[in-house]
Amino acid sequence: MPPTAPGYPPYQRYESQRSRPSQINRPAEPVPSESLTLASGSGDFLLDPPSSPVPAPSPAPDSAGSSEATSVTAPPSSVPTVVPSQPDRATAWVAVVAADREYFTTMMARSGPDAQGLYFPAFSPEVQLPLTGNQITIGRRRHSTGEAPDIDLARAPEDPGVSHKHAVLVQQPDGAWSVVDQDSTNGTTVNLAEDPIRPYTPVPLEEGDRVHVGAWTTITLRRA
């Protein structure tokens, strides 16, 4: 069991076949004999809405039948309005998912002749996904079971270098995020680094950092 860096929330660890070929066009690891249920990625809970102020009571009619109007002042409400507090870590973040030609060119140069069958997609619109909950899974949907990660890179154009359970974005105690590689087939790199990050080891991310997975996919973290 690899050690977990202190100070980070727990993250879900997936079992892996630990086959790590160097070719980025190698298919992801085979489906294990027993399926694992993916986390929904949501650890949120709902807060009750603020209580409504108690309306002021209506003036009671004069029992003596006096023609003079009696001025009645409503007492102040004893029930305060409850406003749920917002924690400091509630800063909104988004993940910008895009096909990155610079990263693709770098991967092609490293892989050599083994990657000649890969081509950069002609059309791949940028997608922005809000980061909600404490963990965001990255990978590809299993068409046989329908299991899908939070960031599903099986959408067209499907990135063939992404494992079904590739990496996880984990929220840190201060509200920022870190990335954890799940011992993926082709690894995970950050900011075009030459070496992939170590599996099961959280790597803190700053705003604007780029997480590279598969053959051409880059996920950039930004504050909303």
Side-chain angles (χ1 to χ4, degrees):
M1 178 77 66
T4 302
Y8 299 98
Y11 56 89
Q12 190 167 357
R13 171 174 175 168
Y14 300 120
E15 295 299 327
S16 167
Q17 298 298 321
R18 301 187 66 85
S19 58
R20 304 180 61 83
S22 60
Q23 302 93 331
I24 61 173
N25 59 339
R26 193 69 171 266
E29 63 269 25
V31 182
S33 57
E34 64 276 0
S35 298
L36 299 177
T37 302
L38 287 174
S40 63
S42 176
D44 291 345
F45 57 92
L46 297 177
L47 295 175
D48 293 331
S51 301
S52 301
V54 177
S58 302
D62 189 354
S63 59
S66 173
S67 59
E68 294 183 359
T70 303
S71 176
V72 178
T73 302
S77 173
S78 59
V79 181
T81 300
V82 178
V83 180
S85 60
Q86 298 295 330
D88 295 337
R89 60 179 291 172
T91 302
W93 289 76
V94 295
V96 182
V97 184
D100 187 344
R101 182 176 291 277
E102 181 182 10
Y103 168 60
F104 173 75
T105 302
T106 303
M107 289 296 292
M108 289 288 288
R110 292 177 186 171
S111 301
D114 294 331
Q116 292 304 314
L118 288 176
Y119 298 94
F120 190 76
F123 178 73
S124 181
E126 183 179 278
V127 177
Q128 293 191 17
L129 300 173
L131 301 183
T132 58
N134 297 324
Q135 296 183 14
I136 304 296
T137 53
I138 303 170
R140 287 189 299 121
R141 176 189 303 269
R142 291 190 187 275
H143 298 289
S144 59
T145 63
E147 292 175 326
D150 299 309
I151 299 180
D152 185 9
L153 298 175
R155 62 180 180 83
E158 183 173 358
D159 191 329
V162 176
S163 299
H164 291 291
K165 296 173 181 177
H166 197 106
V168 180
L169 295 174
V170 182
Q171 192 173 39
Q172 301 180 82
D174 61 357
W177 292 82
S178 60
V179 60
V180 182
D181 181 79
Q182 295 293 292
D183 201 13
S184 60
T185 301
N186 297 305
T188 302
T189 56
V190 177
N191 295 331
L192 291 178
E194 293 186 3
D195 298 324
I197 63 177
R198 295 180 57 187
Y200 306 122
T201 303
V203 175
L205 300 172
E206 302 289 342
E207 181 179 11
D209 280 348
R210 296 168 294 165
V211 177
H212 310 289
V213 297
W216 56 67
T217 302
T218 292
I219 302 171
T220 305
L221 267 63
R222 300 193 185 281
R223 296 181 188 271

